Amino acid sequence: MVLDPFDIIESRFKDTVPSKVSSFVLVQVESTEDSDQFLEKLRLLLVEDTPFFRKTIQKYLQRYGYQVDVVVDGQDGIDKLNQEDVPYDLIISDVEMPRMNGFGFGEIICHS
């Protein structure tokens, strides 16, 4: 049996939260057409080495219309950030990954 934590969160909070909820970031905005369009235009970078979690998180975020780019570790994340002309609105990173872990990745992007 596989449980989808995102569906559990959505079903638990569907009546109490007026806007979209992400288990990673909770942003409460007044739900209007403009705010929904703003949220759906956000560009995200997902840094995750485990295929199951990478695919699950990516699908969850794309379900709400987010543009999601995916890389498999911190070094790939740095490479992706260096080749992109448009900055990401949000980066979601795992901690334990090969080559460069999430702490090293975070330290590099915070000091760039």
Side-chain angles (χ1 to χ4, degrees):
M1 177 184 214
V2 176
L3 298 176
D4 182 350
F6 306 114
D7 285 342
I8 294 169
I9 290 167
E10 286 176 348
S11 65
R12 168 64 178 88
F13 294 105
K14 71 179 179 182
D15 296 326
T16 59
V17 178
S19 61
K20 295 181 180 177
V21 176
S22 164
S23 61
F24 307 105
V25 177
L26 175 61
V27 179
Q28 186 167 347
V29 295
E30 187 174 331
S31 187
T32 65
E33 187 174 316
D34 290 339
S35 66
D36 288 345
Q37 288 175 356
F38 169 76
L39 289 173
E40 290 173 356
K41 291 179 185 176
L42 291 179
R43 188 164 179 249
L44 311 177
L45 176 63
L46 173 60
V47 185
E48 171 61 63
D49 64 315
T50 306
F52 172 80
F53 291 114
R54 187 171 55 239
K55 184 177 179 181
T56 302
I57 294 166
Q58 180 181 20
K59 280 184 164 185
Y60 176 78
L61 295 169
Q62 287 175 334
R63 185 180 337 165
Y64 289 107
Y66 296 113
Q67 178 186 340
V68 182
D69 290 335
V70 179
V71 294
V72 298
D73 63 33
Q75 185 58 56
D76 284 346
I78 296 299
D79 295 344
K80 183 76 171 167
L81 291 171
N82 287 334
Q83 72 186 35
E84 293 294 318
D85 293 332
V86 180
Y88 288 95
D89 298 298
L90 178 67
I91 298 172
I92 300 168
S93 178
D94 189 6
V95 173
E96 293 184 33
M97 297 178 288
R99 294 198 310 160
M100 181 186 296
N101 66 30
F103 294 117
F105 174 68
E107 188 172 324
I108 289 172
I109 63 173
C110 286
H111 292 98
S112 297

